[in-house]
Amino acid sequence: MNGRRLRRLGKLGKLGKRAGVWACLLALAMGACSCSFFPSSSKGAGGGLRESESGAPDGGSPPETGLTFGIIYPMAHSFYEMITQDAKEAADEAGVKLVVKAPDEANLEQQIRMMETMIKMRVDGIAIDPVDTEALAPVIDKAAEEGIPVICFESDSPGSKRLAFIGSDNYRSGVRMGEALDRMLEGRGMVIVETGMSKMGSLAQRLDGLLGYLNRQTDIQVLDVKYNEGKEALALSNLEAMIEAHPHFDAFVALDVMSGSASVLVWKASGLSRYALTFGVTPEIEEAMKNGQITASISQNEAEWGRRIVDRLLDASQGRGIPAFDDMGTTEIAAEGMK
């Protein structure tokens, strides 16, 4: 971020920090998030691949079940680290090998290559959070046709041959975000919104739910909606641009985890006192709530996704029926309850 942009943010929050301080904060806070949760990481041929394996106890002895499950995330981020930790515990308990992959930043082509790799590996089940609802359907179908059960989580690909979806009703989750915003602003005000990938089904549904509720039930004006396409730098620059263009906004809504992380950095650096709402609860977001950078979060109970993924893949790989929709529900968490 250049000095001119920092001065503009400083006027909003009365911050006198130099650009070097911001750069350090960005490197520490966001750089760590994109890389840290795959401890044995490596760059793949496509670039940006983060990968880890677990479930082989006693220095690499074969898992008891002989089963290997794959998990593919949209990107490397601390939000998914929490899911990986939960899945790893479940996999270790079940004697299952777990292979986890994610691009550094959201990338459709890399997700397709990761799916192809897991099909060639003949894994016993795959869980994927697809960045593009339609474009990933053919490779999901290919896995299913080769006898590999596929489950989607967080974001669905309902037109594919995936067996099930683990997550929440994302349209209803967007409505719930609108309800929270409505209460805070008492039905009136101006908001800016940022979301992630434009072709990710879950995010489109959240945005539809949010805008639909605000338009029908409130006099809240949405000043701008920007997409970061799963890129850290774009998430930050989008937020900067909206704040600069609409300095009198009342609240910011992040519909994806990348936008939520960006808002924590901007609020921390600029000292903004506006409402900031996001999706997902990670240690980073919990700390930001305690420190006043995040006002509230809509959790889709993501801390339980990892174990549910392993349990459902275990059932499917052993021929047991699983529900087509595992509704994980939503929970609104306010900053007041974190202090």
Side-chain angles (χ1 to χ4, degrees), residues 65 67 69 90 93-96 124-125 147-151 162-164 307-324 326:
T65 63
L67 297 173
F69 297 151
E93 292 170 10
V96 170
D124 299 286
I148 301 173
V150 180
I151 290 173
R162 58 91 174 126
L163 276 182
R307 181 167 295 273
R308 188 66 58 88
I309 286 168
V310 172
D311 288 346
R312 294 309 189 206
L313 286 177
L314 192 59
D315 287 340
S317 66
Q318 296 178 347
R320 295 189 290 268
I322 62 175
D326 253 315

Side-chain angles (χ1 to χ4, degrees), residues 25-36 50 76 232 265:
L25 181 61
L26 172 61
L28 289 171
M30 295 199 77
C33 287
S34 68
C35 305
S36 63
R50 301 289 171 184
E232 289 177 352
L265 290 175

Side-chain angles (χ1 to χ4, degrees), residues 136-159:
L136 278 153
V139 73
I140 291 173
D141 291 350
K142 180 179 179 181
E145 289 161 3
E146 296 198 20
I148 301 173
V150 180
I151 290 173
C152 292
F153 65 97
E154 185 178 27
S155 191
D156 199 7
S157 180

Side-chain angles (χ1 to χ4, degrees), residues 44 87 108 111 132 148 168 188 249 268 279 328:
L108 171 61
Q111 273 204 323
D132 188 315
I148 301 173
S168 301
R188 303 179 65 86
F249 75 100
K268 190 180 294 185
F279 271 87
M328 305 301 289

Side-chain angles (χ1 to χ4, degrees), residues 142-188:
K142 180 179 179 181
E145 289 161 3
E146 296 198 20
I148 301 173
V150 180
I151 290 173
C152 292
F153 65 97
E154 185 178 27
S155 191
D156 199 7
S157 180
S160 72
K161 296 180 180 179
R162 58 91 174 126
L163 276 182
F165 170 59
I166 296 173
S168 301
D169 180 332
N170 280 292
Y171 181 87
R172 175 58 196 158
S173 298
V175 169
R176 188 155 190 186
M177 177 67 81
E179 292 170 343
L181 194 60
D182 187 8
R183 290 194 307 273
M184 291 176 192
L185 299 182
E186 298 181 347
R188 303 179 65 86

